[in-house]
Amino acid sequence: MTWVPARLAALDPRLQDLVLAVALTIADLAVLLVYRHQLHPLGWAVVLIISQNMPLIWRRSQPIAVLAVIGSARVAYDLIGLGYAPLPLGPAIAFYTAMDRSRPRARLLICILTPAVIATSQLSPGHNEPYDFVVAVLIFAAAGMAGVLSSTRRAYVDEIEARAARAESDRDRESSRSAAMERARIARELHDVVAHHVSLMAVQAEAAASLLPGQSVEARHSVEIIGDTARQALTELRRLLGVLRGPAEQLQTEPSPSLGELGTVLEKVRCAGLPVDFHLEGTPYPLAPGIDVTAYRIVQEALTNTMRHAPDACADVTLCYEPGYITVSVSDSGPANGGRTSAAGPRAVAGSQPGSQPGSTARPGDGGPPRRGTPPATGPSPGSGAPVGSGAPVGSGAPVGSGALVGSSPRNRRDGRPGNVVRLGPGGFGLAGIAERVASCGGNLTTGPTPAGGFAVSARLPAR
């Protein structure tokens, strides 16, 4: 029979109150039939019993009015002087509902009037036992306390739900804002790359026009068209960047970073107390400037997230060069306590944005293998004449820029001493920012926990 309360709870509230009122009325009438010989007049007793219970149908919508009707019927029943009176369950339920759903001032007024009404009923003829008054007071006191507790609990639950709704709304707004800022940042970096090539086109077109004095007019006209088109493209790029940049944003004058400066980032991370292992697979070759910047930012953002969420972990960075593609993988061994939280809570996944692999999961922590040594010096140095963006890290390089502060507290080294506060570059937006960058390059992103309890980020990008 345990399914009966569940079925009743699933009913409409008005239907529940109807069932309650009918059940109480039937129970009280059944008791009255047993003592019908003591009730004179019986008809008035039946009418007043029905009046004490049936108004409960409207107890949720009109609690004070229902309490007044039921209370009046109970007082009238006692004042008539009938020989038997059932327990005041209907009035007690009405009193409970009024205390539960009324405002504080109304509750105070009800609490003042209820003892007077109880005293009036108990001093009427037929209530000769002294415990009758005590029983009535206890019943109504319990009902009133239950009503106040129910009201308090409902207010608490409503507040918790409102806070959760506000927090979810704030997260959505912050996510949208972060995505917009990351898109603008990507657009600025791509603008620098594309503007360089288009400017080169315009310069070469002007040079070609000066070298064609003896050629046909059609050839000079074609070269002039190329130059004009390049200049128009530059103008449109500047307009696009002006639309994406907010009015309060400042111009960033430092050069775009590349994988050639990755060694500087790894060294800064190690100085901050996070062991990092570097692996290079395949033969490095020059990448497209946009791909080079994206690969650098993926490593930078992934290491920043590891330092922020799992400062006790060991990180592993791998660059894998394939014909036409480069795969960037960053993993870590996860936090020492087995879980990772931040001020913003566990990091969410990139989701189903373009360029991200379906099935990416929410990140409880970042993880990967422990450090095994110092990264091999496989890449060109900044002064060696090798092209920037060759894909190989170097041990030293120009500063990445002022950037955003990673972490708000010193990191711990392996020897227990506090590490240095490190700046890895401009503040990013976690996995969402990485997903935006990968999608802008037409690559694939895979994120998720590792079997060792850490977290891994892997992006496969086209080389051109």
Side-chain angles (χ1 to χ4, degrees), residues 17-34:
D17 294 338
L18 175 62
V19 173
L20 175 63
V22 172
L24 288 177
T25 302
I26 293 175
D28 287 347
L29 291 178
V31 174
L32 287 183
L33 292 178
V34 176

Side-chain angles (χ1 to χ4, degrees), residues 359-383:
S360 298
T361 58
R363 151 170 218 171
D366 305 333
R371 179 182 182 185
R372 291 180 292 277
T374 305
T378 57
S381 61

Side-chain angles (χ1 to χ4, degrees), residues 1-11 16:
M1 297 297 290
T2 56
W3 59 273
V4 175
R7 293 289 298 272
L8 291 176
L11 295 177
Q16 294 179 22

Side-chain angles (χ1 to χ4, degrees), residues 408-453:
S408 58
S409 60
R411 307 298 180 188
N412 292 328
R413 300 178 182 272
R414 281 188 168 182
D415 56 6
R417 292 176 298 155
N420 298 326
V421 178
V422 64
R423 294 178 183 270
L424 296 186
F429 303 102
L431 295 180
I434 292 176
E436 291 285 349
R437 292 185 175 277
V438 173
S440 68
C441 298
N444 295 322
L445 175 66
T446 303
T447 62
T450 63

Side-chain angles (χ1 to χ4, degrees), residues 28 97 105 110 136 144 148 200 215 233 280 312 342 366 371 431 453:
D28 287 347
T97 306
R105 292 185 178 179
I110 292 171
V148 172
L200 186 62
Q215 300 298 327
L280 180 66
D312 300 329
S342 68
D366 305 333
R371 179 182 182 185
L431 295 180

Side-chain angles (χ1 to χ4, degrees), residues 282-339:
T283 303
Y285 53 82
L287 303 173
I291 303 299
D292 201 2
V293 172
T294 297
Y296 175 90
R297 292 298 190 195
I298 290 173
V299 175
Q300 180 190 65
E301 188 64 38
L303 290 177
T304 299
N305 289 343
T306 297
M307 295 180 66
R308 182 178 300 144
H309 300 288
D312 300 329
C314 300
D316 186 274
V317 178
T318 302
L319 299 181
C320 180
Y321 286 87
E322 309 171 42
Y325 291 92
I326 180 174
T327 301
V328 181
S329 302
V330 181
S331 60
D332 62 60
S333 58
N337 58 2

Side-chain angles (χ1 to χ4, degrees), residues 15-229:
L15 188 56
Q16 294 179 22
D17 294 338
L18 175 62
V19 173
L20 175 63
V22 172
L24 288 177
T25 302
I26 293 175
D28 287 347
L29 291 178
V31 174
L32 287 183
L33 292 178
V34 176
Y35 296 94
R36 61 183 181 274
H37 299 293
Q38 303 179 19
L39 301 175
H40 301 286
L42 179 60
W44 279 107
V46 172
V47 170
L48 292 176
I49 286 297
I50 294 176
S51 301
Q52 292 180 41
N53 297 308
M54 292 307 296
L56 291 175
I57 299 174
W58 299 277
R59 70 185 183 94
R60 299 177 196 256
S61 58
Q62 301 292 334
I64 297 180
V66 168
L67 177 61
V69 171
I70 292 179
S72 300
R74 180 68 185 193
V75 172
Y77 187 97
D78 291 333
L79 291 178
I80 290 176
L82 298 173
Y84 172 79
L87 288 175
L89 297 180
I93 294 175
F95 181 68
Y96 158 82
T97 306
M99 297 296 291
D100 179 24
R101 298 181 176 271
S102 300
R103 296 181 178 180
R105 292 185 178 179
R107 290 180 188 171
L108 180 60
L109 181 61
I110 292 171
C111 291
I112 294 174
L113 295 177
T114 299
V117 174
I118 295 175
T120 302
S121 295
Q122 296 302 318
L123 293 176
S124 61
H127 294 278
N128 301 323
E129 300 295 336
Y131 60 81
D132 287 347
F133 181 80
V134 176
V135 171
V137 170
L138 291 177
I139 290 176
F140 281 91
M145 293 178 61
V148 172
L149 291 176
S150 175
S151 177
T152 303
R153 181 181 180 277
R154 185 171 59 253
Y156 174 76
V157 172
D158 292 342
E159 178 64 21
I160 293 298
E161 292 178 351
R163 288 183 182 179
R166 288 195 299 269
E168 184 176 359
S169 178
D170 292 343
R171 282 196 301 268
D172 292 341
R173 285 196 299 269
E174 183 63 22
S175 177
S176 300
R177 174 178 168 273
S178 299
M181 293 178 64
E182 186 68 8
R183 292 190 188 102
R185 180 177 164 191
I186 294 171
R188 286 194 294 270
E189 293 178 351
L190 292 181
H191 168 269
D192 297 338
V193 174
V194 177
H196 169 74
H197 292 294
V198 176
S199 299
L200 186 62
M201 290 169 52
V203 172
Q204 294 296 327
E206 295 291 341
S210 64
L211 296 175
L212 295 174
Q215 300 298 327
S216 62
V217 177
E218 290 79 5
R220 291 183 58 86
H221 182 63
S222 298
V223 173
E224 291 175 355
I225 291 176
I226 294 174
D228 293 339
T229 303

